[in-house]
Amino acid sequence: MTTLHGTTGDPSGIATPARRGPEVDAVVLGAMDEEVRPFSRRATDAGPLRQRGRARGQVVTIGGARVLLVRSGIGLVNAAAALVAALSESHPRAVISTGSAGGLAATIEVGDIVVGDSYTYAGADATAFDYVRGQVPGMPVGYDADPDLLAAAARATAPAGMVRTGQMVSGDSFITDVNVAEVREAFPDALSTDMETTALAQVSYSYELPFLSVRGISDLCGPEAGQDFHLGVDEAAERAAAVVLAVLGA
């Protein structure tokens, strides 16, 4: 992790990023208590809970992994703020987003686990200025998962649900049967949608940190007839956590 902490004689007067705080194997973030509980429940050692803005986090040990576990709050801004706060106090080897998501692709089923290989914003639209839909001006078209983390997730054995790998999109609007057609048209390869992943991917990209998102599908954004049922957030998060723990070697 890098954080602005003191100066190192830079003639510009701008502070040089310095490393501080504990080294951890990963910062693992979930938006809700239900999404971080599968990890805290398995912890064999846990440091004090610390509140930073809307976020709450603690360093925990799970198996052989040391993790900064963060409950960020829902939404892109809450997620980004929580991760920046975490990076100001720790030095992680990777960042992992976990929890629940809505199934976007027609082939996705409730209970599946989606491992994102790329991430973009559902609501970003600067196409009038020749940017690609989903691209924030000045930033990449999308953000890619770290290859090593992705490979580790591919080797994971989930206790339930099919593990699917593909694109994730994120935004601050819920995707329902009212607006799902437009999102599917704009992002035909996207498997799932949530409200935090791409913001976390962008922050990780900015800090040059390996990133991965793993989400359990709790509902379908635009179900076909006979498909509409829900899985509790806690159960969807538990399924995603099983893959994340395998990635961590915990």
Side-chain angles (χ1 to χ4, degrees), residues 114-121 141-146 150 165-170 189-192 194 197-198 201 211-213:
V114 174
V115 176
D117 62 7
S118 64
Y119 317 99
T120 194
Y121 290 105
V141 172
Y143 306 93
D144 293 330
D146 177 74
L150 198 60
T165 300
Q167 185 184 39
M168 292 178 168
V169 297
S170 306
D189 297 326
L191 299 183
S192 68
D194 64 70
T197 286
T198 304
F211 178 77
L212 183 73
S213 183

Side-chain angles (χ1 to χ4, degrees), residues 9-194:
D10 184 342
S12 69
I14 299 174
T16 299
R19 297 182 184 274
R20 65 184 177 92
E23 288 197 16
V24 293
D25 292 297
V27 177
V28 175
L29 303 100
M32 297 179 282
D33 289 334
E34 295 91 336
E35 295 177 327
V36 299
R37 193 171 293 135
F39 300 91
S40 58
R41 190 170 60 244
R42 291 171 169 83
T44 55
D45 183 64
L49 281 168
R50 303 186 69 178
Q51 190 84 25
R52 291 292 180 267
R54 301 287 296 177
R56 185 174 68 240
Q58 67 182 148
V59 176
V60 301
T61 300
I62 309 173
R66 193 164 187 241
V67 172
L68 176 51
L69 184 60
V70 178
R71 194 288 321 269
S72 67
I74 297 170
L76 299 173
V77 173
N78 279 334
L83 180 52
V84 171
L87 296 181
S88 73
E89 299 185 355
S90 68
H91 176 204
R93 296 184 178 90
V95 176
I96 300 178
S97 172
T98 189
S100 60
L104 190 59
T107 56
I108 289 290
E109 300 287 347
V110 169
D112 286 349
I113 301 146
V114 174
V115 176
D117 62 7
S118 64
Y119 317 99
T120 194
Y121 290 105
D125 189 350
T127 53
F129 300 98
D130 296 325
Y131 289 94
V132 174
R133 174 68 190 270
Q135 182 181 14
V136 172
M139 300 302 290
V141 172
Y143 306 93
D144 293 330
D146 177 74
D148 292 336
L149 295 176
L150 198 60
R155 294 191 295 269
T157 300
M162 180 180 292
V163 179
R164 305 286 301 277
T165 300
Q167 185 184 39
M168 292 178 168
V169 297
S170 306
D172 277 323
S173 298
F174 285 103
I175 308 300
T176 68
D177 56 354
V178 174
N179 57 358
V180 68
E182 188 271 337
V183 177
R184 283 176 173 165
E185 182 179 359
F187 305 101
D189 297 326
L191 299 183
S192 68
T193 178
D194 64 70

